[in-house]
Amino acid sequence: MENLRDALSVHGITLPSLRVDLPGFAGKRGSSGGLVALGNCNTPTARRLAEVLRGGAPDARPPLDVEFVAVAKALPGLRRTVRRYLGVPCPDVQLCVTELVTNVIRHVGEGASVRVRMAQTDVDRIRVEVTDPAEGVLPVSLAATPDDETGRGIALLDAVAARWGVERGSGGKTVWCEVVAELQGRAT
């Protein structure tokens, strides 16, 4: 069990428990719990676990995982970190990260603790997750007028991302999106 836990932690996967008989679990067909039953993990962890067990995306890097205090002056450094992680310019991914963190600053509060995770999930797809402590403050698409200076973040996310959503958990929420991105020419 500890070897499995160590191997998964290399990929950023931590499981709250491994009280499952893994050989017995793996041998069951049509298990109603699927991978979610493994370690009683949540859906995002189950997705990452499935990806790792399948061998991950071709040439995929380990996930980017950054925790910081959400303040406006952190955004330029975050955009640079995203670019370095991807190895090529990717304005759509940088826009999504910036808009999601800006929403935390604006609607949860400057100084809130935020965690940004990013991983390549397919040859041309990047998953971005932004977690904050405010479970009840959910993103809402606003109808901004042409003169409004704010209120377009979720509309931009909706336009740029292939898909996006919100997962609520105890002690916070995660707003995630998947962006199709050309990464073939990235540096190694």
Side-chain angles (χ1 to χ4, degrees):
M1 296 290 185
E2 287 306 311
N3 289 343
L4 176 62
R5 198 182 302 270
D6 292 343
L8 293 175
S9 70
V10 169
H11 297 280
I13 299 171
T14 57
L15 299 175
S17 72
L18 285 175
R19 293 185 213 123
V20 177
D21 170 25
L22 293 176
F25 178 79
K28 290 181 183 174
R29 289 182 168 258
S31 171
S32 61
L35 287 176
V36 176
L38 179 61
N40 194 24
C41 59
N42 61 22
T43 303
T45 300
R47 285 188 193 119
R48 289 196 317 265
L49 178 58
E51 180 181 310
V52 168
L53 292 174
R54 282 192 309 263
D59 302 323
R61 295 179 184 196
L64 173 70
D65 196 338
V66 181
E67 290 187 52
F68 59 98
V69 175
V71 292
K73 68 181 181 180
L75 293 174
L78 181 60
R79 283 190 293 271
R80 284 190 300 273
T81 299
V82 167
R83 182 185 166 141
R84 275 194 305 269
Y85 172 76
L86 296 174
V88 295
C90 195
D92 289 350
V93 175
Q94 290 173 305
L95 174 70
C96 289
V97 169
T98 300
E99 290 302 325
L100 292 175
V101 173
T102 298
N103 277 350
V104 173
I105 294 168
R106 188 171 307 259
H107 301 290
V108 176
E110 189 161 27
S113 175
V114 69
R115 181 177 184 185
V116 174
R117 288 180 302 278
M118 183 179 310
Q120 185 175 353
T121 60
D122 203 348
V123 174
D124 66 347
R125 196 166 284 215
I126 300 294
R127 181 177 173 97
V128 174
E129 298 176 350
V130 175
T131 303
D132 67 65
E135 179 183 350
V137 180
L138 300 176
V140 176
S141 186
L142 302 174
T145 68
D147 294 331
D148 289 341
E149 294 183 20
T150 62
R152 293 180 180 82
I154 296 301
L156 286 169
L157 182 71
D158 200 35
V160 171
R163 60 190 199 121
W164 70 275
V166 180
E167 294 175 356
R168 295 164 95 172
S170 61
K173 71 173 173 305
T174 298
V175 182
W176 60 269
C177 67
E178 292 181 359
V179 180
V180 176
E182 179 64 42
L183 301 174
Q184 270 65 13
R186 79 173 181 191
T188 54

